[in-house]
Amino acid sequence: MFESGAPDGTPWEDKRMFAFAARAPRPIPTTILFCCAYVLSFVDRQILSLLIGPVKADLHLDDFQFAVLNGFAFAVLYSVLGLPISMLADRFARPPIIVGGLALWSLSTIGCGLSGGFWGLFFCRMGVGIGEAALVPAVYSFLADIVPAARLGRIIALFSAGSFVGAGLAYLSGGALMALLRPGSLPGGLVPWKLCFVIVGAPGLVLAAVIACFVHEPAARGAREARAGLLQTWTFIRGQKWLFPLHFLGYSCSAVMLFSLMAWSPAYLMRVMGMPHGVVGGFMGGVAIVCGCGGIWTSGRLIDALTTRGIVRAPVIVGAGGMAGAALLFLLSGLCGVGTAGLVFFALTFFCASFPMAPSAFVIQTVAPRSMRAQISAIMLLCNALIGLSAGSMLIGLLDDRVFTASDGIRYALPIVAIVASTAGAAMIAGTAPFYLARWRALSRGE
């Protein structure tokens, strides 16, 4: 990508024109482009939840049908297809895979706005999930090939911050767009919620074209290594004893905390903290962007700072510490109750809950062979989707419906699930320390 120099035979005075196109890989510009894609992915996946009222009314959907569209239709292929797509990323050039996924989920988002019924919207949401499944494993693998190990933590953090920016923009923009696009003010009587999908989907097509033009596979990648299949990857995972089982389960518990906060915080803030409905979107948007991005950037910088000081267990310390801190801060928020102190501790919970994203990716990219990185990242995302995105959120709903049946039952359901999961995750990640150290020593010996 961003190579410097010109094709052989080009006159010297013309070479400056190609200076951007032939340099050695430049991590920051590439990461910013990938981060923008991650921002758009979260806006496109989250926007439906903010349009629940008009979508249900216009398509005559019940709550169960909307839940299927918002969760199951997206998550089922997002989690399942991540692994086979990652196998392609470990075998072939990754930029075309990233560009193809970005174009697919953008077109599918636009298709959501053109859908006239439940099934049309269902299949378009599946398309969003398939497209987004191509992004993260391929990007993590790509960044690990172009970034020195001493800077990998902050670069991964920079990319991962896109998820919080996207979530924050979805909170902030959904209501604003619906307020601007009033019925009767649109040409041809176009329904406002449909135009929202078209508006948020279109930028992805432009970004896909930019990435296709300027990001290319590193020349040094993979020619020296055979591409690994799923069997070889599974054999490697088993050979590391408890490192990967504890890693996958521990960071899936962190995903329970983070996804639970993102999904249930609006209800928690309104029912428990007494926050007006009109204020929740702005507050959550600010918390997601400021505290989420701030936490993940701090996490990445801590990993790099500790690593350069010779502390090999840096990602373990940062990951486990972030989870333990999030559990403690959420407990303090609940104990403080309504008021400024409770909201401050709630925002700080988000800050610490974002810490695990950088070390979870850092460990995989540093201990796994290059030919397996995307596949192992996809397994990590599969666990996060099934345990964090699905199981944790459903458990909170179950507790709220069946156990804590009062109108403010979320006061207990959300903290119980989130705090227990985060505490268990911290313990499991701390337990990876001896296995991570053993793998690091083996790599130092060239094994």
Side-chain angles (χ1 to χ4, degrees):
M1 59 137 272
F2 293 99
E3 305 162 332
S4 70
D8 292 341
T10 302
W12 171 255
E13 57 269 20
D14 292 338
K15 289 186 179 179
R16 295 183 198 174
M17 297 174 57
F18 299 95
F20 69 92
R23 290 179 192 155
R26 296 172 59 191
I28 296 299
T30 306
T31 305
I32 290 174
L33 288 176
F34 290 157
C35 181
C36 290
Y38 211 15
V39 169
L40 294 180
S41 77
F42 264 75
V43 172
D44 289 357
R45 81 169 67 171
Q46 297 271 24
I47 193 69
L48 179 61
S49 64
L50 301 172
L51 303 176
I52 178 172
V55 172
K56 286 180 59 181
D58 194 48
L59 299 184
H60 308 290
L61 305 178
D62 57 29
D63 285 335
F64 177 76
Q65 287 176 307
F66 188 84
V68 169
L69 293 173
N70 196 34
F72 178 78
F74 170 85
V76 62
L77 291 184
Y78 173 79
S79 58
V80 172
L81 290 183
L83 188 54
I85 293 174
S86 71
M87 294 175 66
L88 296 177
D90 277 334
R91 291 174 177 268
F92 302 103
R94 291 157 291 190
I97 294 173
I98 295 169
V99 169
L102 174 53
L104 175 59
W105 91 61
S106 300
L107 288 171
S108 297
T109 301
I110 294 172
C112 289
L114 304 177
S115 301
F118 172 83
W119 287 109
L121 198 52
F122 181 90
F123 288 115
C124 285
R125 287 289 291 175
M126 290 180 70
V128 174
I130 295 170
E132 293 191 17
L135 179 66
V136 175
V139 168
Y140 281 158
S141 173
F142 190 96
L143 293 179
D145 278 350
I146 66 172
V147 178
R151 299 178 58 208
L152 185 59
R154 74 192 72 176
I155 292 296
I156 288 177
L158 176 59
F159 166 71
S160 300
S163 62
F164 294 103
V165 175
L169 289 178
Y171 282 122
L172 294 170
S173 65
L177 281 174
M178 289 299 293
L180 289 173
L181 305 174
R182 298 183 180 278
S185 64
L186 303 177
L190 188 63
V191 180
W193 69 263
K194 293 191 174 186
L195 189 55
C196 283
F197 278 111
V198 176
I199 290 173
V200 300
L205 299 178
V206 178
L207 182 59
V210 172
I211 294 176
C213 291
F214 295 113
V215 180
H216 309 291
E217 189 71 15
R221 190 240 183 164
R224 301 168 308 219
E225 279 185 77
R227 303 293 96 198
L230 188 58
L231 181 59
Q232 292 92 331
T233 301
W234 178 246
T235 301
F236 169 76
I237 290 174
R238 291 184 59 188
Q240 304 310 308
K241 299 181 179 179
W242 285 97
L243 173 59
F244 285 108
L246 288 174
H247 183 88
F248 293 153
L249 289 174
Y251 283 108
S252 293
C253 286
S254 79
V256 170
M257 162 65 94
L258 187 56
F259 287 134
S260 296
L261 286 175
M262 295 179 73
W264 290 96
S265 285
Y268 183 83
L269 292 171
M270 287 185 288
R271 300 176 195 173
V272 178
M273 297 295 193
M275 184 173 289
H277 184 274
V279 179
V280 169
F283 178 80
M284 283 301 303
V287 167
I289 293 174
V290 176
C291 296
C293 292
I296 197 169
W297 180 249
T298 302
S299 170
R301 291 304 299 265
L302 280 174
I303 293 173
D304 289 345
L306 294 174
T307 300
T308 56
R309 286 169 173 76
I311 302 176
V312 177
R313 295 182 179 90
V316 177
I317 294 170
V318 173
M323 290 189 216
L328 177 60
L329 288 165
F330 201 15
L331 177 61
L332 291 174
S333 176
L335 293 176
C336 289
V338 179
T340 302
L343 291 176
V344 169
F345 282 122
F346 178 86
L348 291 175
T349 300
F350 244 93
F351 179 82
C352 285
S354 67
F355 266 47
M357 291 187 72
S360 68
F362 181 93
V363 168
I364 291 174
Q365 303 311 313
T366 52
V367 305
R370 180 180 299 169
S371 60
M372 303 177 183
R373 288 171 182 164
Q375 293 175 66
I376 297 178
S377 295
I379 296 172
M380 177 80 255
L381 291 177
L382 172 65
C383 294
N384 281 352
L386 295 180
I387 298 175
L389 185 60
S390 300
S393 183
M394 289 190 296
L395 180 57
I396 292 171
L398 182 64
L399 290 175
D400 194 22
D401 286 341
R402 302 293 179 86
V403 180
F404 307 110
T405 55
S407 59
D408 65 343
I410 193 70
R411 175 194 302 272
Y412 307 103
L414 176 57
I416 286 174
V417 173
I419 291 173
V420 170
S422 195
T423 303
M428 284 187 275
I429 293 305
T432 66
F435 307 104
Y436 178 72
L437 184 59
R439 175 59 181 165
W440 181 85
R441 288 171 176 166
L443 290 172
S444 300
R445 296 191 298 267
E447 298 177 7

